[in-house]
Amino acid sequence: MTGAALCAVLALIVASWLVRDIRAVDAEQLWRYWAGFQDARPRGMPATSPLDVTLLVVYAVAAVAALRSSVAATVLVATGVITLAVRLPGVWGIGNRRMETVFSDDLRSRALICAFVALAAGIALLITAGAGRRPPADSYEQLPSRPGPGVSVTAFLMLGAAGAVLIAWEIRQMVRYPEIYPEWYVGGDRVPHGVIDPPPGWGTAALALLCLVAAASALFRAVHARPFGLVAAALLLPGGVLGVVRVVHYDLLDDFGSLPTETQLMLLSWIFEVIAALVVLLALAPRGFADVPGPYGPGQGSGYGPPEFGPPGYAPTPYPGQQQPPAPGYGYPQGGGFGPPPPPSQPPPGW
């Protein structure tokens, strides 16, 4: 309940800023500004970015998961980590000279208060996740799940490649435009961005790191691989989608062959980000293998997971004259967990 309330607070903060921008900037112009169209003419500098729309969805899903999901603790950890990552630069960036020029004192004061509240909520999410970890209440409680072998490899390849692409473009930009550093990462007069959002370089670096961490978690089939992978894919999707929107808007694919090589690579990177994000979302969204099997022993009962996870199930001592059930690990190993194993082909000795 505490985790869901914290996520609701974070969602409310983001929603209030989005409503402010829609009223102050105009919804159509806000969209055109987010998409990067050259003819966008907003009435004022937006305080938000497409990142905030994604965060609103992440907070809403995390609030529901905190109430109902078996991976609530890992969901809260992933939500708290990304909140700290994207709101931390506001502590020192909201008061810089460019922000003073573009945004009013009242708006900057509200943004600073929201930044501190978001950071406090992010820390509280981590504490709540740690305090809420406990063993299952009973053998019938739904347990956290790990991605299956095929899903883990898919998520590792997609997220690892996406993280590598983001890092490669950051290195390329650092070589081509060295004059904008370090403001590109920590904020400054030459790098425009929303008053509540991190500098572009900081956001890209945080997303790349999240993708790589989620990829490594998926490769080792960790319990936290699904929440971190889903959050990473959700944050990766908007950048790719808006890039594809620009490609379609300016008909860049019609003259793809005549474009410079760097521009071609950029278009392909946007398309790959969309594909990678969608593949990871579709792969990790379904529940995977249970970390600990259900009450009927390995590979049975709950229907999730291979038999190597968790301790053997407990079976009561049979009454006199009652047949002893087979020991865990015997019977149909490929039964998939649907019902108890078949009886042994021959009765035990002495029967």
Side-chain angles (χ1 to χ4, degrees):
M1 183 64 72
T2 303
L6 292 170
C7 292
V9 170
L10 291 169
L12 183 61
I13 292 174
V14 175
S16 65
W17 283 101
L18 291 173
V19 171
R20 178 266 170 194
D21 271 3
I22 292 174
R23 292 179 175 178
V25 180
D26 181 73
E28 181 181 356
Q29 291 300 321
L30 180 63
W31 157 252
R32 299 179 72 84
Y33 177 83
W34 283 352
F37 296 162
Q38 297 178 0
D39 57 350
R41 296 294 183 269
R43 292 180 300 204
M45 181 67 181
T48 59
S49 70
L51 171 66
D52 297 291
V53 179
T54 308
L55 287 176
L56 179 61
V57 176
V58 170
Y59 291 146
V61 173
V64 175
L67 294 174
R68 305 180 57 183
S69 176
S70 59
V71 293
T74 50
V75 169
L76 295 181
V77 169
T79 306
V81 167
I82 196 61
T83 299
L84 294 176
V86 300
R87 298 310 182 203
L88 184 60
V91 173
W92 63 79
I94 292 175
N96 65 34
R97 186 170 57 185
R98 182 186 174 278
M99 292 295 181
E100 292 177 356
T101 304
V102 176
F103 300 102
S104 65
D105 292 341
D106 177 65
L107 199 65
R108 288 187 295 107
S109 299
R110 288 164 50 194
L112 189 59
I113 293 173
C114 289
F116 280 113
V117 172
L119 290 174
I123 296 173
L125 283 174
L126 299 180
I127 296 174
T128 301
R133 295 188 63 181
R134 56 172 179 78
D138 53 52
S139 57
Y140 294 94
E141 181 178 344
Q142 195 177 47
L143 299 166
S145 60
R146 303 171 184 265
V151 171
S152 63
V153 172
T154 300
F156 167 72
L157 294 176
M158 292 291 102
L159 292 175
V165 167
L166 293 174
I167 293 175
W169 279 113
E170 283 298 305
I171 295 174
R172 170 59 178 162
Q173 181 164 276
M174 187 179 298
V175 173
R176 189 170 183 179
Y177 305 105
E179 65 276 5
I180 65 174
Y181 292 87
E183 288 91 342
W184 182 252
Y185 289 107
V186 298
D189 299 340
R190 291 175 290 184
V191 180
H193 60 89
V195 70
I196 68 169
D197 289 320
W202 181 287
T204 303
L207 178 57
L209 182 60
L210 179 63
C211 287
L212 295 179
V213 170
S217 302
L219 180 63
F220 292 102
R221 301 177 64 187
V223 175
H224 59 271
R226 289 182 62 233
F228 273 84
L230 290 172
V231 171
L235 295 177
L236 182 67
L237 185 60
V241 168
L242 292 178
V244 172
V245 168
R246 286 192 291 273
V247 171
V248 175
H249 180 75
Y250 292 109
D251 298 323
L252 297 179
L253 291 180
D254 295 342
D255 302 320
F256 183 81
S258 61
L259 295 174
T261 302
E262 184 171 339
T263 304
Q264 292 177 344
L265 292 176
M266 185 177 297
L267 303 188
L268 294 176
S269 297
W270 288 335
I271 295 173
F272 172 73
E273 287 178 14
V274 174
I275 295 174
L278 292 177
V279 168
V280 173
L281 288 173
L282 293 175
L284 293 180
R287 181 175 170 83
F289 293 118
D291 187 34
V292 181
Y296 298 104
Q300 303 175 32
S302 66
Y304 300 108
E308 63 266 27
F309 294 125
Y314 170 79
T317 304
Y319 294 103
Q322 186 179 13
Q323 183 178 359
Q324 171 72 38
Y330 294 91
Y332 276 112
Q334 68 272 34
F338 297 100
S345 57
Q346 296 180 358
W351 282 54

